Amino acid sequence: MSKRVRSREVCADCSAPEPRWASVNRGVLICDECCSIHRGLGRHSSQVRHLTHSSWPSSQLQMVQTLYGNGANSIWEHSLLDPSSSVSGKRKANPQDRVHPNKTEFIKAKYQMLAYVHRMPCREDDSVTAKDLSKQLHSSVRTGNLETCLRLLSLGAQANFFHPEKGNTPLHIAAKAGQMLQAELLAVYGADPGALDSSGKTPIDYARQAGHQELAERLVEIQYELTDRLTFYLCGRRPGHRNGQHFIIPQMADSSLDLSEFAKAAKKKLQSLSNHQFEELAMDVYDEVDRRETDAVWLATQNHSTLVTDTTVVPFLPVNPEYSSTRNQGRQKLARFSAHEFATLVIDILTDAKRRQWGNSCESPKDNVELILQGIDSRHNSESQDNDQPDYDSVASDEDPVQEASCGDSCNDRRTKSSDLSDGPITVQEFMEVKSALTASEAKIQQLLKGCSLEGQGIMLENDYDTTPNHSELEETDSPVPASDTVEPGEEGEEDATLPCTEDVICKTEQITKNIQELLRAAQETKHESFLPCSEKICMAVTEMAALFPKRPSSETVRGSLCLLTSSASRLHGECQKAAEHNPCPSDIQLVTQQVIQCAYDIAKAAKQLVTVTTKENNN
C-alpha cells in the first residue's frame, strides 16, 4: 500500500491518524492506545498484529486492508451511524479521550458486547436464523465481497457450516472460486481446510482441481498454522509444505533434559491426553506464544512511551468466558513458564502433534531436528520470569495489574508459601497435575451452578475479573456488602488456615445462585424495576457466605475469590441503583442490563471457585 494512501488511514476506534496495528478478526486498523485495550480483551475478542513488525501471511494482511478500505468498521459501529445516536449520548471515542475509562469502555462495548452492531429481527428459534445466515455465507463467498461475509459472520453465520443440499462448506466454495481473501477470512473465523464434503474431498482438493495452486498451498499452510507458529517461535523457520515437510521438531541443546525422569513423566502425561484435551492444550499454548510475541513487538515499538508504564501490560492470557475456570487457570499459569520451560513444553507438543497425525514413526530424534541453544535465543531471554513477577489466581484481573499491586494483604501477596497452586516457576508436570486435579474438583460442583448458565442469555460477557474491591464504589453506592472484611495494609491479625465445611459453602452458594437466577429472569423479561430488590438479596447472600470464612484466610485463592465476590456484589448493587435512579432510555437500557449481567456472572464465578477450593482442601 502506498505511503500516500496509508497517510489517510485513521484508527477505527478513535480516529487517531496513521494506525500501526490491525485487529485481524475485526478487519480494522487501530492506533497504539486502542491496541493496548484490544490486547487486554483476549484473542477471542480481538486478534492484534503490528502492520510492519509482526510476521504476516501476505494474503491475510491484504484481507484486513481490503476489509478496512471497504468500510468494515461500519459493521461494528452500525447504530452509531444513525444521527439520533448523538442525541441519546452515544458516541465513539476520539484521540483526546483518556485510555481509562473512556476508550476502554467504548472498545469493550463495541467488540465484547457488540453493542452497536445491526441486530437481526428476533425469532423464536435462533438456530433457524443461524442456519439462514450460514446459507447466505455459503453463497456469498464465491464473490469478492468480503465485508458482506464479515457482516454475516458477525451476526452468527458459521464458518464451518455444512450445507445439507450442496454437501460442502463455505471454504469449499471459496476454494473452488479461487477467492483467496474469502478463504483467509473464513480461516480467521475457524474454517477447517481439512473438512470433507459429501464425496470426501477437502477445500484443498477443490482449489487444486480448479487450478488455483497458490490458494491450495495457502490452505495447506492454514491447516498447519498452529504447529507452524510454534516452530517459528522457537527457531524462526517454518516447514517446507510444498516439499512435503509438514513438521520441524526442534530439540534443546541440553540433551540431558530429555533423559530425566521428569521429562519422561511429563511426556507420558501429554501422550495420555485425549485428542480433545490435547487440542485444547495446544490451542492454549498457541495463544501464549501469540501473547509473548505480541508483547515483544509492543515493547519494541513503544520507544519507552507512557503506554509501556501505563496499565497496558498483558502479563498473562486474559480470561475467556467461554472456557471453564479450570482451563482459564491453566492458561494463565503458562505465563509463569521461563523461556526454557516454555520451549520444552512447545517441543513436546510439536512432537506429540506429529505422533498423533502420523503415528509413532516421528519419534526418531534425527527426524527434522533443529538444534536450539539452551536459552532459546536472545529474542526470548527477556521473557524469563524474575522473582518480582506475581503469582496469578485462577480468576485474576487482566485489566489493571498496576492497581492490583496496591490492593493490600487480601489481594496483593502473590507469593505466600500457602498458595494453593504453585510457588516459583511452574513445570510442565505441575501444569498437567494441576489441570487434572482441578478438572476433577470442578466436576463435583458443575451440577450445582448448571442453572446459572449466563452464556445462554446471548450476551458477550466482559473478561476483566477484578480481584480488587473498589472502595470508592462501596462508599458511593452504600452497598449492603460490608468493606470491613477486607484487611487493609498494616492491620493486625494472623492468617487463618481454617476453612468452613463444604456443605455450608454449597448451601450459601445455592442461595446466591437462586437469587442470580431471579435477577436473570427479570433481565430476560425486561423488568428493570426488579433489579434493585434482586441485588439486595444477592448482596445479603454474599455477606452471609463471606462471613463463613476467616477474616484473613491464609489461602491465596480464597482471598482472591472473596475479594472478587464482595467487590462484584458491590458493583452489582451500584449498577442496579443507577438503573433505578436514572431510569435510562430504551436505547441505553441494553447496556445497563449487560453490565448487571456481567456483575452477576462475576459473582457466580467467585462463588463457584470458593466451592472448588473448599472441596479440594477439605478432601485432602
Side-chain angles (χ1 to χ4, degrees):
M1 190 175 287
S2 70
K3 184 173 178 113
R4 189 168 129 196
V5 174
R6 288 287 301 275
S7 66
R8 293 200 296 266
E9 293 172 353
V10 297
C11 173
D13 296 334
C14 74
S15 302
E18 300 184 16
R20 302 195 298 172
W21 294 81
S23 174
V24 181
N25 57 323
R26 302 301 184 179
V28 296
L29 305 184
I30 52 179
C31 68
D32 286 20
E33 284 195 349
C34 291
C35 175
S36 71
I37 303 165
H38 277 251
R39 293 178 59 219
L41 300 181
R43 292 188 72 254
H44 53 282
S45 289
S46 183
Q47 301 169 17
V48 298
R49 286 189 179 177
H50 197 278
L51 290 174
T52 56
H53 286 69
S54 296
S55 177
W56 283 78
S58 59
S59 51
Q60 189 181 73
L61 177 57
Q62 185 183 353
M63 178 267 292
V64 172
Q65 291 175 327
T66 300
L67 280 171
Y68 174 84
N70 291 339
N73 195 41
S74 64
I75 296 172
W76 315 112
E77 296 183 355
H78 177 82
S79 65
L80 293 181
L81 300 177
D82 186 343
S84 64
S85 65
S86 59
V87 179
S88 66
K90 292 181 181 178
R91 70 169 183 86
K92 71 180 294 176
N94 61 56
Q96 291 73 38
D97 282 339
R98 296 177 59 184
V99 175
H100 300 291
N102 306 72
K103 290 185 178 181
T104 300
E105 290 179 355
F106 172 74
I107 289 171
K108 285 186 175 182
K110 180 177 175 180
Y111 297 110
Q112 281 189 330
M113 299 179 187
L114 301 180
Y116 312 119
V117 300
H118 175 66
R119 300 290 181 183
M120 296 292 290
C122 294
R123 297 191 185 184
E124 293 183 3
D125 187 357
D126 289 339
S127 64
V128 174
T129 302
K131 185 176 180 180
D132 291 343
L133 291 168
S134 298
K135 284 187 174 181
Q136 292 181 46
L137 177 67
H138 192 278
S139 175
S140 298
V141 293
R142 69 180 73 250
T143 73
N145 199 334
L146 285 177
E147 58 274 20
T148 296
C149 294
L150 180 60
R151 190 180 301 276
L152 291 168
L153 289 164
S154 75
L155 293 173
Q158 300 300 304
N160 278 314
F161 173 73
F162 187 86
H163 199 297
E165 290 85 26
K166 306 294 184 181
N168 52 26
T169 70
L171 191 55
H172 283 93
I173 299 302
K176 183 177 181 179
Q179 292 291 345
M180 175 78 81
L181 303 189
Q182 292 283 21
E184 290 285 359
L185 177 60
L186 290 170
V188 167
Y189 278 82
D192 180 10
L196 301 178
D197 70 355
S198 54
S199 302
K201 295 180 180 179
T202 68
I204 299 172
D205 296 329
Y206 273 49
R208 284 177 177 153
Q209 290 175 1
H212 306 301
Q213 191 59 33
E214 183 182 358
L215 175 54
E217 291 173 355
R218 175 62 186 139
L219 288 174
V220 172
E221 291 177 355
I222 292 172
Q223 190 172 25
Y224 289 93
E225 178 188 2
L226 189 150
T227 50
D228 282 5
R229 181 78 178 271
L230 300 188
T231 296
F232 188 80
Y233 171 76
L234 292 178
C235 61
R237 285 187 53 194
R238 293 185 175 87
H241 297 292
R242 294 183 182 182
N243 304 322
Q245 181 195 39
H246 299 307
F247 291 93
I248 294 177
I249 311 298
Q251 277 192 333
M252 304 297 287
D254 186 358
S255 60
S256 64
L257 287 176
D258 295 335
L259 303 177
S260 69
E261 290 302 316
F262 158 71
K264 293 177 182 177
K267 290 179 181 179
K268 188 174 181 180
K269 283 181 177 290
L270 197 66
Q271 292 173 1
S272 68
L273 294 176
S274 68
N275 285 337
H276 177 70
Q277 291 172 323
F278 178 78
E279 287 172 3
E280 284 191 346
L281 176 59
M283 289 166 61
D284 294 345
V285 170
Y286 176 97
D287 286 350
E288 175 64 12
V289 164
D290 182 83
R291 185 195 70 83
R292 294 188 181 208
E293 289 189 332
T294 305
D295 268 355
V297 173
W298 175 259
L299 293 172
T301 57
Q302 292 307 303
N303 297 322
H304 304 289
S305 72
T306 55
L307 280 179
V308 175
T309 56
D310 201 347
T311 56
T312 58
V313 178
V314 183
F316 51 87
L317 289 174
V319 172
N320 185 335
E322 295 184 1
Y323 294 162
S324 67
S325 59
T326 303
R327 184 173 179 186
N328 277 313
Q329 184 178 56
R331 285 164 58 86
Q332 291 182 353
K333 300 300 286 186
L334 287 172
R336 299 190 61 240
F337 281 52
S338 68
H340 190 278
E341 290 167 334
F342 189 60
T344 304
L345 175 59
V346 170
I347 291 169
D348 286 347
I349 286 177
L350 285 169
T351 303
D352 211 52
K354 185 173 182 180
R355 179 188 67 82
R356 288 170 188 261
Q357 180 166 342
W358 287 4
N360 292 324
S361 61
C362 67
E363 305 226 325
S364 169
K366 296 182 179 179
D367 184 20
N368 287 333
V369 166
E370 287 288 328
L371 190 64
I372 301 186
L373 297 178
Q374 184 171 349
I376 307 307
D377 65 26
S378 58
R379 290 179 303 166
H380 306 307
N381 283 343
S382 61
E383 293 167 3
S384 299
Q385 308 299 313
D386 58 35
N387 292 331
D388 293 328
Q389 179 170 1
D391 191 6
Y392 303 110
D393 294 333
S394 60
V395 183
S397 171
D398 57 346
E399 180 182 67
D400 197 350
V402 174
Q403 183 186 24
E404 180 179 293
S406 60
C407 177
D409 288 351
S410 60
C411 300
N412 184 29
D413 185 8
R414 301 301 185 193
R415 291 179 297 279
T416 59
K417 292 183 180 179
S418 58
S419 173
D420 291 297
L421 298 178
S422 174
D423 186 29
I426 192 170
T427 63
V428 181
Q429 186 176 23
E430 286 175 331
F431 174 68
M432 301 307 301
E433 289 174 352
V434 167
K435 193 162 189 173
S436 174
L438 289 176
T439 298
S441 178
E442 182 172 342
K444 297 178 182 178
I445 62 168
Q446 193 66 42
Q447 197 64 29
L448 172 66
L449 295 176
K450 187 176 180 181
C452 190
S453 177
L454 304 185
E455 288 87 349
Q457 300 296 321
I459 302 295
M460 290 293 290
L461 300 173
E462 290 185 10
N463 62 1
D464 52 326
Y465 304 125
D466 190 4
T467 59
T468 2
N470 189 327
H471 298 290
S472 62
E473 282 187 353
L474 294 179
E475 296 170 1
E476 291 174 5
T477 63
D478 191 27
S479 169
V481 179
S484 59
D485 286 348
T486 303
V487 179
E488 296 298 333
E491 184 174 327
E492 296 297 329
E494 296 182 359
E495 292 183 347
D496 191 343
T498 59
L499 291 176
C501 70
T502 304
E503 290 73 15
D504 288 344
V505 178
I506 289 178
C507 180
K508 295 302 180 185
T509 302
E510 286 175 338
Q511 291 181 15
I512 293 173
T513 303
K514 180 180 178 181
N515 293 323
I516 287 178
Q517 289 172 332
E518 183 181 347
L519 176 64
L520 293 181
R521 281 194 294 271
Q524 194 172 25
E525 297 168 4
T526 64
K527 295 180 179 178
H528 307 109
E529 67 280 1
S530 300
F531 281 9
L532 191 56
C534 286
S535 75
E536 289 172 349
K537 293 179 184 178
I538 292 171
C539 286
M540 185 176 298
V542 164
T543 301
E544 292 175 356
M545 183 169 183
L548 294 175
F549 293 84
K551 288 190 179 289
R552 294 202 65 189
S554 61
S555 167
E556 168 110 16
T557 307
V558 171
R559 290 200 304 273
S561 298
L562 286 171
C563 280
L564 176 62
L565 184 74
T566 56
S567 63
S568 299
S570 299
R571 293 202 319 271
L572 174 69
H573 190 66
E575 291 295 335
C576 291
Q577 275 191 328
K578 292 176 186 176
E581 293 170 1
H582 302 296
N583 192 21
C585 62
S587 61
D588 290 337
I589 197 62
Q590 183 182 5
L591 284 178
V592 174
T593 302
Q594 287 170 342
Q595 291 294 331
V596 168
I597 291 176
Q598 173 63 54
C599 293
Y601 179 80
D602 288 350
I603 294 169
K605 276 281 189 180
K608 182 177 179 180
Q609 187 177 348
L610 285 170
V611 174
T612 302
V613 70
T614 306
T615 303
K616 177 182 174 184
E617 291 299 319
N618 289 338
N619 287 342
N620 285 343

